[in-house]
Amino acid sequence: SGDWLIVTRTYIVEGMKNERSVRRIERALFRVDNISYEINLEKNTVVIHFSNRVDDDKVIGAISRAGYRAMRL
């Protein structure tokens, strides 16, 4: 069948303090294929919806390149 299995993972992001941080993380995640995301500044979390293969390293690496440390919850 052609059904997509969506897998959702939550990451905690250290150092995300303001809207500027959010924009930097958004720009980094925009380059990662086959995901959608929600960033919650108050909780310091990023929720990722993977529509293909789940790849923690790709997400953590993108956030790291933006200058922040991410860990999976």
Side-chain angles (χ1 to χ4, degrees), residues 5 19 33 35 40 45-46 51 56 62 73:
L5 179 64
E19 287 299 324
D33 292 333
I35 66 165
N40 186 319
T45 58
V46 176
S51 61
D56 287 319
L73 280 183

Side-chain angles (χ1 to χ4, degrees), residues 11-17 40-46:
Y11 303 82
I12 190 117
V13 180
E14 289 181 0
M16 186 167 59
K17 295 183 181 73
N40 186 319
L41 182 56
E42 286 171 20
K43 293 183 180 173
N44 284 343
T45 58
V46 176

Side-chain angles (χ1 to χ4, degrees), residues 45-63:
T45 58
V46 176
V47 177
I48 304 281
H49 307 284
F50 294 89
S51 61
N52 198 339
R53 199 166 63 83
V54 174
D55 194 338
D56 287 319
D57 291 341
K58 205 175 264 190
V59 167
I60 290 170
I63 293 171

Side-chain angles (χ1 to χ4, degrees), residues 15-45:
M16 186 167 59
K17 295 183 181 73
N18 51 36
E19 287 299 324
R20 190 164 164 258
S21 306
V22 170
R23 284 195 298 274
R24 288 180 70 175
I25 292 166
E26 281 179 336
R27 278 202 299 274
L29 292 174
F30 184 74
R31 298 188 180 104
V32 180
D33 292 333
N34 301 311
I35 66 165
S36 62
Y37 53 85
E38 292 116 46
I39 299 173
N40 186 319
L41 182 56
E42 286 171 20
K43 293 183 180 173
N44 284 343
T45 58

